């Protein structure tokens, strides 16, 4: 697994309600994807590297890891209102979520952004920041990766999915967008300023997209 190696752990405070636990790990070589001047060919190669790594991550069978069953029920529609989605799409959220497939739960990293994938000499060196790792639907993995690292480039997404051996079914776009909505709700509960759709709004005319199904197709149909 291309990830930092654990060296030690501790707590900043002795106060039981707020001990602030921390980990000490090895330093990841290279620079974050978002700071690497990659050619188009190198971007495809790193996307494939990421896919192979995520395939290993999703194959893990961890114990003692939080699952989505431990989350408080999210108000996904309310979280969507605080994103870049226009009101006419926010109004469709509850009905859209009701049509999702049952969750295909695996262990996910949960925060694959352009700053958490490290690159050196045009190839992936590793993935950092596993603090959002959780057991939930595998499509939860895609939102941060596609919008924050790939910048909605579906050629990169396709290479990633192929290398990951992802089970892409006919409802793949719908499930991916549905879990992006869940990621918005989860992220907003953590950070208060989360907007997973901000980069999407920069590349797609969201006000001209009539339905969430159309948005799912625009973003994830491969």
């Amino acid at each position: 697994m291309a990830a930092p190696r654990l060296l030690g752990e501790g707590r900043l405070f002795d106060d039981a309600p707020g001990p602030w636990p921390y980990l000490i790990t090895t330093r990841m070589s290279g620079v974050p994807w978002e700071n690497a001047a990659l050619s188009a060919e190198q971007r495809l190669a790193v996307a494939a590297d990421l896919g192979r790594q995520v395939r290993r991550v999703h194959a893990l069978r961890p114990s003692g890891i939080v699952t989505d069953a431990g989350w408080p029920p999210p108000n996904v529609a309310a979280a969507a209102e605080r994103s870049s989605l226009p009101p006419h799409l926010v109004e469709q959220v509850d009905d859209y979520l009701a049509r999702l497939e049952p969750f295909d739960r695996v262990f996910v990293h949960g925060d694959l952004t352009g700053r958490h994938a490290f690159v050196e000499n045009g190839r992936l060196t590793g993935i950092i920041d596993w603090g959002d790792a959780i057991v939930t639907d595998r499509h939860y993995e895609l939102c941060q990766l596609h919008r924050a690292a790939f910048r909605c480039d579906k050629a990169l997404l396709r290479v990633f999915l192929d290398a990951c051996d992802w089970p892409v079914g006919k409802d793949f776009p719908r499930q991916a967008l549905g879990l992006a909505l869940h990621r918005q709700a989860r992220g907003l509960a953590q950070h208060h300023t989360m907007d997973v759709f901000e980069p999407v709004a920069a590349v797609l005319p969201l006000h001209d997209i009539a339905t969430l199904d159309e948005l799912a197709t625009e973003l994830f149909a491969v």
Side-chain angles (χ1 to χ4, degrees), residues 187-201:
L188 197 60
Q190 293 173 312
H191 304 297
H192 308 295
T193 58
M194 187 76 163
D195 184 358
V196 302
F197 295 102
E198 183 178 9
V200 177

Side-chain angles (χ1 to χ4, degrees), residues 35-173:
N35 297 334
L38 298 174
S39 67
E41 183 178 356
Q42 288 173 329
R43 286 170 63 83
L44 289 169
V46 175
D49 290 342
L50 274 167
R52 286 185 283 270
Q53 283 299 308
V54 169
R55 181 174 60 192
R56 295 181 179 182
V57 172
H58 288 187
L60 295 173
R61 295 293 178 264
S63 61
I65 298 295
V66 67
T67 74
D68 56 25
W71 291 349
N75 190 333
V76 180
E81 289 179 357
R82 296 172 60 184
S83 76
S84 294
L85 288 180
H88 73 280
L89 293 180
V90 173
E91 292 172 357
Q92 303 171 31
V93 167
D94 287 335
D95 288 340
Y96 185 86
L97 294 178
R99 294 185 288 118
L100 293 184
E101 295 294 316
F103 278 13
D104 177 14
R105 287 180 171 85
V106 297
F107 178 65
V108 302
H109 177 278
D111 200 19
L112 287 174
T113 68
R115 68 184 61 177
H116 295 156
F118 272 58
V119 177
E120 189 172 43
N121 298 323
R123 301 308 296 259
L124 181 76
T125 56
I127 302 167
I128 68 165
D129 199 340
W130 294 75
D132 288 309
I134 192 167
V135 175
T136 189
D137 185 271
R138 70 173 63 244
H139 298 80
Y140 188 81
E141 197 83 274
L142 295 176
C143 172
Q144 294 289 70
L145 179 67
H146 191 40
R147 65 102 188 178
F150 295 168
R151 294 292 172 178
C152 304
D153 184 330
K154 288 204 285 188
L156 296 176
L157 177 62
R158 190 176 300 111
V159 166
F160 167 84
L161 294 171
D162 287 345
C164 192
D165 197 22
W166 196 286
V168 178
K170 62 181 180 63
D171 291 324
F172 170 78

Side-chain angles (χ1 to χ4, degrees), residues 96 168-178 213 216-217 220-222:
Y96 185 86
V168 178
K170 62 181 180 63
D171 291 324
F172 170 78
R174 179 187 298 163
Q175 200 76 3
L177 181 60
D213 281 309
T217 298
F220 295 110
V222 292

